[in-house]
Amino acid sequence: MANFTPLSAAIGGALIGLSAVLLMLLTGRIAGISGIFGGLLNPDSRDRGWRIAFIAGLILAPLLAGWIGYGMPTPKLPASWTVIIAAGLLVGFGSRMGDGCTSGHGICGIARLSGRSIAATVIFMLTAVATVAVTRHMLGG
């Protein structure tokens, strides 16, 4: 584990939790990325301002961090744009089908002791473990 950084991970987790709590307290909304983004795609949505600000912050914060000197590693992506696009569409479809994403269920839902969110997060984690096991140990990736 070359990137084991418990202090920065704890600080990052605390900031994520704080932002989720503040969003809930100030707007009454859950900080689920798929729901926030999905609301932007709804042409009848009247609450676009905070949604745009939230998504813009997700994009701009790491860019700003890189600009002021924090290292930003280049993610390893598949060579095929078809695979990248298909994966993105499947994740988006799964998030909508599951009525939420890992941020909405895993952070906000578990904090609210939602049985549905706890079950969804367990399924997310088991699927992730199985995917890593298959791709790393069975397919040699």
Short mmCIF file of all heavy atoms in Angstrom, two decimals, residues 26-82:
data_model
loop_
_atom_site.label_atom_id
_atom_site.label_comp_id
_atom_site.label_asym_id
_atom_site.label_seq_id
_atom_site.Cartn_x
_atom_site.Cartn_y
_atom_site.Cartn_z
N LEU A 26 -28.80 23.08 4.99
CA LEU A 26 -29.09 24.35 4.30
C LEU A 26 -30.13 24.24 3.20
O LEU A 26 -30.81 25.22 2.91
CB LEU A 26 -27.78 24.93 3.74
CG LEU A 26 -26.71 25.27 4.80
CD1 LEU A 26 -25.43 25.72 4.13
CD2 LEU A 26 -27.24 26.33 5.75
N THR A 27 -30.21 23.06 2.56
CA THR A 27 -31.16 22.93 1.45
C THR A 27 -32.18 21.82 1.64
O THR A 27 -33.14 21.74 0.88
CB THR A 27 -30.41 22.65 0.11
OG1 THR A 27 -29.83 21.36 0.18
CG2 THR A 27 -29.36 23.71 -0.16
N GLY A 28 -31.95 20.94 2.60
CA GLY A 28 -32.84 19.80 2.78
C GLY A 28 -32.60 18.71 1.75
O GLY A 28 -33.41 17.80 1.61
N ARG A 29 -31.51 18.79 1.03
CA ARG A 29 -31.20 17.84 -0.05
C ARG A 29 -30.12 16.86 0.37
O ARG A 29 -29.26 17.16 1.19
CB ARG A 29 -30.70 18.58 -1.29
CG ARG A 29 -31.63 19.62 -1.81
CD ARG A 29 -32.83 18.99 -2.42
NE ARG A 29 -33.66 20.03 -3.02
CZ ARG A 29 -34.67 19.78 -3.79
NH1 ARG A 29 -34.99 18.56 -4.06
NH2 ARG A 29 -35.38 20.76 -4.28
N ILE A 30 -30.14 15.69 -0.24
CA ILE A 30 -29.14 14.65 0.01
C ILE A 30 -28.02 14.83 -1.02
O ILE A 30 -28.28 15.04 -2.20
CB ILE A 30 -29.78 13.26 -0.11
CG1 ILE A 30 -30.78 13.07 1.03
CG2 ILE A 30 -28.72 12.17 -0.09
CD1 ILE A 30 -31.59 11.82 0.93
N ALA A 31 -26.79 14.68 -0.56
CA ALA A 31 -25.62 14.87 -1.43
C ALA A 31 -25.33 13.60 -2.23
O ALA A 31 -24.27 12.99 -2.10
CB ALA A 31 -24.40 15.27 -0.61
N GLY A 32 -26.25 13.20 -3.07
CA GLY A 32 -26.06 12.08 -3.98
C GLY A 32 -25.77 12.63 -5.37
O GLY A 32 -26.61 13.33 -5.95
N ILE A 33 -24.61 12.32 -5.88
CA ILE A 33 -24.17 12.92 -7.14
C ILE A 33 -25.11 12.59 -8.30
O ILE A 33 -25.45 13.46 -9.10
CB ILE A 33 -22.73 12.48 -7.50
CG1 ILE A 33 -21.78 12.68 -6.32
CG2 ILE A 33 -22.23 13.19 -8.74
CD1 ILE A 33 -21.71 14.06 -5.77
N SER A 34 -25.56 11.34 -8.39
CA SER A 34 -26.42 10.98 -9.52
C SER A 34 -27.75 11.73 -9.46
O SER A 34 -28.28 12.15 -10.48
CB SER A 34 -26.65 9.47 -9.58
OG SER A 34 -27.38 9.02 -8.46
N GLY A 35 -28.29 11.91 -8.27
CA GLY A 35 -29.54 12.66 -8.14
C GLY A 35 -29.36 14.14 -8.44
O GLY A 35 -30.22 14.76 -9.06
N ILE A 36 -28.24 14.69 -7.98
CA ILE A 36 -27.97 16.10 -8.25
C ILE A 36 -27.79 16.32 -9.74
O ILE A 36 -28.37 17.23 -10.34
CB ILE A 36 -26.73 16.57 -7.45
CG1 ILE A 36 -27.04 16.56 -5.95
CG2 ILE A 36 -26.28 17.96 -7.91
CD1 ILE A 36 -25.83 16.76 -5.06
N PHE A 37 -27.00 15.46 -10.38
CA PHE A 37 -26.77 15.59 -11.82
C PHE A 37 -28.06 15.29 -12.59
O PHE A 37 -28.38 15.99 -13.56
CB PHE A 37 -25.64 14.67 -12.27
CG PHE A 37 -25.28 14.85 -13.71
CD1 PHE A 37 -24.56 15.96 -14.12
CD2 PHE A 37 -25.64 13.91 -14.67
CE1 PHE A 37 -24.23 16.14 -15.45
CE2 PHE A 37 -25.31 14.08 -15.99
CZ PHE A 37 -24.60 15.20 -16.39
N GLY A 38 -28.80 14.27 -12.16
CA GLY A 38 -30.06 13.94 -12.82
C GLY A 38 -31.03 15.10 -12.79
O GLY A 38 -31.78 15.33 -13.75
N GLY A 39 -31.03 15.87 -11.69
CA GLY A 39 -31.89 17.05 -11.61
C GLY A 39 -31.52 18.12 -12.61
O GLY A 39 -32.36 18.90 -13.05
N LEU A 40 -30.23 18.16 -12.99
CA LEU A 40 -29.82 19.11 -14.02
C LEU A 40 -30.35 18.73 -15.39
O LEU A 40 -30.56 19.59 -16.25
CB LEU A 40 -28.28 19.18 -14.10
CG LEU A 40 -27.59 20.01 -13.04
CD1 LEU A 40 -26.08 19.91 -13.21
CD2 LEU A 40 -28.03 21.45 -13.11
N LEU A 41 -30.54 17.45 -15.61
CA LEU A 41 -31.04 16.98 -16.91
C LEU A 41 -32.54 17.14 -17.06
O LEU A 41 -33.06 17.03 -18.16
CB LEU A 41 -30.65 15.51 -17.11
CG LEU A 41 -29.15 15.20 -17.06
CD1 LEU A 41 -28.91 13.70 -17.22
CD2 LEU A 41 -28.39 15.99 -18.11
N ASN A 42 -33.23 17.40 -15.96
CA ASN A 42 -34.68 17.59 -15.99
C ASN A 42 -34.98 19.03 -16.43
O ASN A 42 -34.66 19.97 -15.72
CB ASN A 42 -35.25 17.32 -14.60
CG ASN A 42 -36.76 17.48 -14.55
OD1 ASN A 42 -37.39 17.84 -15.54
ND2 ASN A 42 -37.33 17.20 -13.40
N PRO A 43 -35.61 19.21 -17.59
CA PRO A 43 -35.87 20.57 -18.08
C PRO A 43 -36.84 21.35 -17.21
O PRO A 43 -36.87 22.57 -17.24
CB PRO A 43 -36.43 20.35 -19.49
CG PRO A 43 -36.87 18.94 -19.55
CD PRO A 43 -36.08 18.18 -18.52
N ASP A 44 -37.66 20.68 -16.40
CA ASP A 44 -38.63 21.35 -15.54
C ASP A 44 -38.07 21.74 -14.18
O ASP A 44 -38.76 22.34 -13.36
CB ASP A 44 -39.86 20.45 -15.33
CG ASP A 44 -40.58 20.17 -16.64
OD1 ASP A 44 -40.55 21.05 -17.53
OD2 ASP A 44 -41.16 19.08 -16.76
N SER A 45 -36.80 21.41 -13.93
CA SER A 45 -36.19 21.68 -12.63
C SER A 45 -36.04 23.18 -12.40
O SER A 45 -35.55 23.91 -13.24
CB SER A 45 -34.82 21.00 -12.56
OG SER A 45 -34.20 21.31 -11.34
N ARG A 46 -36.49 23.64 -11.21
CA ARG A 46 -36.38 25.05 -10.88
C ARG A 46 -35.23 25.34 -9.91
O ARG A 46 -34.98 26.47 -9.57
CB ARG A 46 -37.69 25.55 -10.26
CG ARG A 46 -38.78 25.69 -11.30
CD ARG A 46 -39.99 26.36 -10.69
NE ARG A 46 -41.08 25.39 -10.75
CZ ARG A 46 -41.99 25.24 -9.84
NH1 ARG A 46 -41.98 25.97 -8.76
NH2 ARG A 46 -42.94 24.35 -9.97
N ASP A 47 -34.56 24.29 -9.47
CA ASP A 47 -33.48 24.47 -8.51
C ASP A 47 -32.12 24.14 -9.12
O ASP A 47 -31.32 23.41 -8.56
CB ASP A 47 -33.73 23.64 -7.25
CG ASP A 47 -33.81 22.15 -7.52
OD1 ASP A 47 -33.88 21.74 -8.70
OD2 ASP A 47 -33.79 21.38 -6.55
N ARG A 48 -31.86 24.70 -10.27
CA ARG A 48 -30.64 24.39 -11.01
C ARG A 48 -29.39 25.07 -10.44
O ARG A 48 -28.30 24.54 -10.58
CB ARG A 48 -30.80 24.78 -12.47
CG ARG A 48 -31.90 24.03 -13.17
CD ARG A 48 -32.13 24.57 -14.57
NE ARG A 48 -31.30 23.97 -15.58
CZ ARG A 48 -31.46 22.77 -16.09
NH1 ARG A 48 -32.42 22.01 -15.63
NH2 ARG A 48 -30.67 22.32 -17.02
N GLY A 49 -29.54 26.21 -9.79
CA GLY A 49 -28.40 26.98 -9.33
C GLY A 49 -27.48 26.21 -8.41
O GLY A 49 -26.27 26.11 -8.64
N TRP A 50 -28.01 25.64 -7.34
CA TRP A 50 -27.18 24.91 -6.39
C TRP A 50 -26.64 23.63 -7.02
O TRP A 50 -25.53 23.20 -6.70
CB TRP A 50 -27.91 24.62 -5.08
CG TRP A 50 -28.94 23.54 -5.15
CD1 TRP A 50 -30.26 23.69 -5.43
CD2 TRP A 50 -28.72 22.15 -4.94
NE1 TRP A 50 -30.89 22.47 -5.42
CE2 TRP A 50 -29.96 21.49 -5.11
CE3 TRP A 50 -27.62 21.38 -4.63
CZ2 TRP A 50 -30.12 20.13 -4.99
CZ3 TRP A 50 -27.76 20.00 -4.50
CH2 TRP A 50 -29.01 19.39 -4.67
N ARG A 51 -27.42 23.02 -7.92
CA ARG A 51 -26.95 21.80 -8.60
C ARG A 51 -25.74 22.11 -9.49
O ARG A 51 -24.76 21.36 -9.50
CB ARG A 51 -28.08 21.19 -9.43
CG ARG A 51 -29.21 20.64 -8.60
CD ARG A 51 -30.36 20.15 -9.48
NE ARG A 51 -31.52 19.79 -8.72
CZ ARG A 51 -31.73 18.59 -8.18
NH1 ARG A 51 -30.86 17.63 -8.35
NH2 ARG A 51 -32.82 18.35 -7.50
N ILE A 52 -25.83 23.20 -10.23
CA ILE A 52 -24.70 23.60 -11.09
C ILE A 52 -23.48 23.91 -10.23
O ILE A 52 -22.36 23.49 -10.54
CB ILE A 52 -25.10 24.81 -11.96
CG1 ILE A 52 -26.13 24.39 -13.01
CG2 ILE A 52 -23.87 25.44 -12.62
CD1 ILE A 52 -26.78 25.54 -13.76
N ALA A 53 -23.69 24.63 -9.12
CA ALA A 53 -22.57 24.97 -8.23
C ALA A 53 -21.93 23.70 -7.65
O ALA A 53 -20.70 23.60 -7.57
CB ALA A 53 -23.06 25.88 -7.11
N PHE A 54 -22.74 22.73 -7.27
CA PHE A 54 -22.23 21.48 -6.70
C PHE A 54 -21.39 20.73 -7.71
O PHE A 54 -20.26 20.32 -7.42
CB PHE A 54 -23.41 20.63 -6.21
CG PHE A 54 -23.00 19.47 -5.34
CD1 PHE A 54 -23.05 19.59 -3.96
CD2 PHE A 54 -22.60 18.27 -5.88
CE1 PHE A 54 -22.70 18.53 -3.15
CE2 PHE A 54 -22.24 17.21 -5.08
CZ PHE A 54 -22.29 17.34 -3.70
N ILE A 55 -21.93 20.53 -8.92
CA ILE A 55 -21.20 19.79 -9.96
C ILE A 55 -19.96 20.57 -10.39
O ILE A 55 -18.89 19.98 -10.59
CB ILE A 55 -22.12 19.50 -11.17
CG1 ILE A 55 -23.32 18.62 -10.76
CG2 ILE A 55 -21.34 18.86 -12.31
CD1 ILE A 55 -22.97 17.25 -10.23
N ALA A 56 -20.07 21.88 -10.50
CA ALA A 56 -18.90 22.70 -10.86
C ALA A 56 -17.81 22.56 -9.80
O ALA A 56 -16.62 22.46 -10.13
CB ALA A 56 -19.30 24.16 -11.02
N GLY A 57 -18.20 22.51 -8.54
CA GLY A 57 -17.22 22.33 -7.46
C GLY A 57 -16.52 20.99 -7.55
O GLY A 57 -15.31 20.89 -7.30
N LEU A 58 -17.26 19.94 -7.93
CA LEU A 58 -16.64 18.62 -8.10
C LEU A 58 -15.58 18.64 -9.19
O LEU A 58 -14.57 17.94 -9.10
CB LEU A 58 -17.71 17.58 -8.45
CG LEU A 58 -18.68 17.17 -7.36
CD1 LEU A 58 -19.71 16.20 -7.92
CD2 LEU A 58 -17.95 16.54 -6.18
N ILE A 59 -15.82 19.41 -10.23
CA ILE A 59 -14.89 19.47 -11.35
C ILE A 59 -13.75 20.44 -11.07
O ILE A 59 -12.58 20.14 -11.31
CB ILE A 59 -15.65 19.87 -12.64
CG1 ILE A 59 -16.66 18.77 -13.00
CG2 ILE A 59 -14.67 20.12 -13.78
CD1 ILE A 59 -17.67 19.19 -14.05
N LEU A 60 -14.09 21.60 -10.52
CA LEU A 60 -13.09 22.66 -10.35
C LEU A 60 -12.15 22.45 -9.16
O LEU A 60 -11.00 22.88 -9.21
CB LEU A 60 -13.77 24.01 -10.23
CG LEU A 60 -14.52 24.46 -11.48
CD1 LEU A 60 -15.26 25.77 -11.22
CD2 LEU A 60 -13.57 24.61 -12.66
N ALA A 61 -12.62 21.80 -8.09
CA ALA A 61 -11.78 21.64 -6.89
C ALA A 61 -10.48 20.88 -7.18
O ALA A 61 -9.40 21.36 -6.80
CB ALA A 61 -12.57 20.98 -5.78
N PRO A 62 -10.51 19.74 -7.86
CA PRO A 62 -9.23 19.08 -8.14
C PRO A 62 -8.37 19.85 -9.13
O PRO A 62 -7.14 19.82 -9.04
CB PRO A 62 -9.63 17.70 -8.68
CG PRO A 62 -11.06 17.80 -9.04
CD PRO A 62 -11.65 18.92 -8.24
N LEU A 63 -9.01 20.56 -10.06
CA LEU A 63 -8.23 21.37 -10.99
C LEU A 63 -7.52 22.50 -10.26
O LEU A 63 -6.35 22.79 -10.51
CB LEU A 63 -9.13 21.92 -12.09
CG LEU A 63 -9.76 20.89 -13.03
CD1 LEU A 63 -10.70 21.57 -14.01
CD2 LEU A 63 -8.71 20.08 -13.74
N LEU A 64 -8.23 23.13 -9.32
CA LEU A 64 -7.63 24.19 -8.51
C LEU A 64 -6.51 23.62 -7.63
O LEU A 64 -5.45 24.24 -7.50
CB LEU A 64 -8.70 24.85 -7.64
CG LEU A 64 -8.23 25.97 -6.71
CD1 LEU A 64 -7.66 27.13 -7.53
CD2 LEU A 64 -9.38 26.45 -5.84
N ALA A 65 -6.72 22.45 -7.04
CA ALA A 65 -5.69 21.83 -6.22
C ALA A 65 -4.43 21.55 -7.05
O ALA A 65 -3.31 21.77 -6.59
CB ALA A 65 -6.21 20.53 -5.61
N GLY A 66 -4.61 21.08 -8.27
CA GLY A 66 -3.46 20.86 -9.15
C GLY A 66 -2.77 22.16 -9.52
O GLY A 66 -1.54 22.23 -9.59
N TRP A 67 -3.55 23.19 -9.70
CA TRP A 67 -3.00 24.49 -10.08
C TRP A 67 -2.15 25.09 -8.97
O TRP A 67 -1.14 25.74 -9.23
CB TRP A 67 -4.14 25.42 -10.48
CG TRP A 67 -3.69 26.76 -10.96
CD1 TRP A 67 -3.04 27.03 -12.12
CD2 TRP A 67 -3.85 28.01 -10.29
NE1 TRP A 67 -2.80 28.37 -12.22
CE2 TRP A 67 -3.29 29.00 -11.10
CE3 TRP A 67 -4.44 28.37 -9.09
CZ2 TRP A 67 -3.28 30.33 -10.75
CZ3 TRP A 67 -4.44 29.71 -8.74
CH2 TRP A 67 -3.86 30.67 -9.57
N ILE A 68 -2.55 24.86 -7.70
CA ILE A 68 -1.77 25.43 -6.59
C ILE A 68 -0.66 24.50 -6.12
O ILE A 68 0.02 24.81 -5.16
CB ILE A 68 -2.67 25.83 -5.40
CG1 ILE A 68 -3.37 24.62 -4.78
CG2 ILE A 68 -3.65 26.90 -5.80
CD1 ILE A 68 -4.13 24.94 -3.51
N GLY A 69 -0.47 23.37 -6.79
CA GLY A 69 0.70 22.56 -6.51
C GLY A 69 0.48 21.16 -6.00
O GLY A 69 1.44 20.41 -5.84
N TYR A 70 -0.75 20.76 -5.72
CA TYR A 70 -0.99 19.39 -5.30
C TYR A 70 -0.93 18.47 -6.50
O TYR A 70 -1.52 18.77 -7.54
CB TYR A 70 -2.34 19.25 -4.59
CG TYR A 70 -2.35 19.85 -3.22
CD1 TYR A 70 -2.80 21.14 -3.02
CD2 TYR A 70 -1.88 19.13 -2.13
CE1 TYR A 70 -2.80 21.71 -1.76
CE2 TYR A 70 -1.87 19.69 -0.87
CZ TYR A 70 -2.33 20.98 -0.69
OH TYR A 70 -2.32 21.54 0.55
N GLY A 71 -0.25 17.36 -6.37
CA GLY A 71 -0.11 16.43 -7.48
C GLY A 71 -1.42 15.77 -7.85
O GLY A 71 -2.21 15.41 -6.99
N MET A 72 -1.66 15.68 -9.12
CA MET A 72 -2.85 15.01 -9.62
C MET A 72 -2.42 13.88 -10.53
O MET A 72 -2.00 14.12 -11.66
CB MET A 72 -3.75 15.99 -10.38
CG MET A 72 -4.41 17.00 -9.49
SD MET A 72 -5.56 18.12 -10.30
CE MET A 72 -6.13 17.28 -11.72
N PRO A 73 -2.48 12.63 -10.05
CA PRO A 73 -2.07 11.52 -10.89
C PRO A 73 -3.01 11.35 -12.07
O PRO A 73 -4.21 11.62 -11.96
CB PRO A 73 -2.14 10.31 -9.95
CG PRO A 73 -3.08 10.70 -8.89
CD PRO A 73 -2.98 12.20 -8.75
N THR A 74 -2.46 10.94 -13.17
CA THR A 74 -3.27 10.67 -14.35
C THR A 74 -3.95 9.31 -14.18
O THR A 74 -3.28 8.32 -13.90
CB THR A 74 -2.39 10.63 -15.62
OG1 THR A 74 -1.69 11.87 -15.70
CG2 THR A 74 -3.22 10.42 -16.86
N PRO A 75 -5.28 9.28 -14.28
CA PRO A 75 -5.97 7.99 -14.09
C PRO A 75 -5.64 7.02 -15.23
O PRO A 75 -5.41 7.44 -16.37
CB PRO A 75 -7.45 8.37 -14.11
CG PRO A 75 -7.52 9.69 -14.79
CD PRO A 75 -6.20 10.37 -14.58
N LYS A 76 -5.61 5.74 -14.89
CA LYS A 76 -5.41 4.72 -15.91
C LYS A 76 -6.76 4.39 -16.52
O LYS A 76 -7.67 3.93 -15.85
CB LYS A 76 -4.81 3.46 -15.28
CG LYS A 76 -3.41 3.66 -14.78
CD LYS A 76 -2.86 2.37 -14.20
CE LYS A 76 -1.47 2.59 -13.65
NZ LYS A 76 -0.93 1.38 -13.04
N LEU A 77 -6.89 4.68 -17.80
CA LEU A 77 -8.14 4.45 -18.51
C LEU A 77 -7.93 3.40 -19.59
O LEU A 77 -6.83 3.27 -20.12
CB LEU A 77 -8.64 5.74 -19.15
CG LEU A 77 -8.99 6.88 -18.20
CD1 LEU A 77 -9.31 8.14 -18.98
CD2 LEU A 77 -10.18 6.49 -17.34
N PRO A 78 -9.00 2.69 -19.94
CA PRO A 78 -8.89 1.76 -21.06
C PRO A 78 -8.55 2.53 -22.34
O PRO A 78 -8.89 3.71 -22.47
CB PRO A 78 -10.28 1.13 -21.17
CG PRO A 78 -10.96 1.42 -19.88
CD PRO A 78 -10.32 2.66 -19.33
N ALA A 79 -7.88 1.87 -23.25
CA ALA A 79 -7.48 2.52 -24.49
C ALA A 79 -8.67 2.84 -25.39
O ALA A 79 -8.61 3.75 -26.21
CB ALA A 79 -6.48 1.63 -25.24
N SER A 80 -9.74 2.11 -25.22
CA SER A 80 -10.89 2.24 -26.11
C SER A 80 -11.92 3.24 -25.55
O SER A 80 -12.42 3.08 -24.44
CB SER A 80 -11.56 0.87 -26.27
OG SER A 80 -12.83 1.00 -26.85
N TRP A 81 -12.25 4.25 -26.36
CA TRP A 81 -13.30 5.19 -25.98
C TRP A 81 -14.65 4.49 -25.89
O TRP A 81 -15.51 4.88 -25.11
CB TRP A 81 -13.37 6.35 -26.96
CG TRP A 81 -12.36 7.39 -26.65
CD1 TRP A 81 -11.14 7.57 -27.24
CD2 TRP A 81 -12.44 8.37 -25.62
NE1 TRP A 81 -10.47 8.62 -26.66
CE2 TRP A 81 -11.25 9.13 -25.65
CE3 TRP A 81 -13.39 8.70 -24.67
CZ2 TRP A 81 -11.00 10.18 -24.77
CZ3 TRP A 81 -13.14 9.74 -23.79
CH2 TRP A 81 -11.95 10.47 -23.86
N THR A 82 -14.84 3.44 -26.66
CA THR A 82 -16.09 2.68 -26.61
C THR A 82 -16.29 2.08 -25.22
O THR A 82 -17.38 2.15 -24.66
CB THR A 82 -16.09 1.56 -27.67
OG1 THR A 82 -15.84 2.15 -28.95
CG2 THR A 82 -17.38 0.80 -27.69
#
